[in-house]
Amino acid sequence: MNTIIKKADKDSISEAVALLQNGEIVAIPTETVYGLAANALNPAAIEKIFTAKGRPRDNPLIVHVTDLEMARGLGLEIPPLAEELAERFWTGADFPVGLPDQRGSLTMILKKINHTIPTTESPLQEVSCGLDTVAVRVPNHAVALEIIKLCELPLAAPSANISGSPSPTKAEHVFADLSGKIPLIIDGGACEIGLESTVIAFEEREQDSPAIRILRPGAVTAEDLSEFADIKIDKSVIMKTGGTSPPRSPGTAYKHYAPKAQVIAVTAENKNAFVQYVAKNAADGAAKLDFCETEEPRLLFTKLRELDELGVKRIFVRLPKPEGIGLAVCNRLIRAADYNVIQI
Ligand code: TXA
Ligand code: MG
């Protein structure tokens, strides 16, 4: 299959919409990372996503909608807390998009209302991998919203990379991973946030007020969410899980975000300590990235991909403090380093 990259405009958006309505898969820009989109209600289209990405079949997809009403229309339970969060963090189709705030990058895990009906009859069976919940978000990106609106369909969209590699933040990254496997990439330029959305689940507590569990940290931070409820950060965010209990979010169980180079994650009190450690331990072909002081979170995946292209074999990364967006950066880097963190 020939893969074409087209700048986002009226014509390319119409083409994407026609393909999506016909059960095809198309890569589209969002404010977080590029997504590989398909009609969320079409099992055959969803199947194409799993095949193109080489994604494990038990790792469910995020469904993208234009607003809360569209999520409700999918037959999902919307607790009052989810309504409040949607009002604050989801743009809605009529919201002026592209604002420099954090609206959009929050994914909520919501319960299917009819999860007792035979799962094979649920139109969301494939995207959710048969779970009784569905992950939903409203992207804060004019092109993504326009495409969903014109399709009049909810769009499933995981990051548009080969499973396990760094997420794509530019159209060229998608091309590098998926060329020959998808017909069209809509180029909307570099992603503003550059890290995948924050994924949260709601904890039901008998007498108490509800709590929010962060399954994947992102640009909507624990601090932002703490205005609305108690926050729990899932163990899997910074520790290897596995063993007996199944993970709350299947994606957290897989090795992820890893470039071809070996990533060595380091926490260091100050810049000098980091520089000295790298000088002592790096052989030829090693690079260093200081996410505590100099590197920008939005360029994390871009940098990892650039270093791969240069043929760098080892990348020493200094972790930021695990607060604010720093928690998301730590999560991606620790996982890329397969959970080995060196403290100096
Ligand atoms: O920013 C983003 O979220 C991007 C853009 C394209 O929207 N998408 C993205 O999708 O990062 P993906 O598939 O790469 O990551 C989705 C994560 C996975 O860790 C998956 O396991 C989790 O969300 N997830 C999806 N549905 C779930 C569910 N019902 N319950 C728990 N976790 C779920
Ligand atoms: Mg992904």
Side-chain angles (χ1 to χ4, degrees), residues 161-177:
N161 53 326
I162 291 288
S163 237
S165 78
S167 288
T169 56
K170 291 179 182 176
E172 300 89 281
H173 298 164
V174 181
F175 190 84
D177 275 21

Side-chain angles (χ1 to χ4, degrees), residues 114-152:
N114 286 328
H115 62 262
T116 48
I117 64 170
T119 48
T120 46
E121 283 171 30
S122 162
L124 294 167
Q125 160 78 358
E126 275 73 22
V127 268
S128 60
C129 297
L131 296 177
D132 61 5
T133 55
V134 180
V136 187
R137 88 176 189 97
V138 173
N140 181 26
H141 194 286
V143 175
L145 283 173
E146 183 72 3
I147 291 174
I148 306 168
K149 210 152 79 174
L150 292 174
C151 280
E152 297 183 323

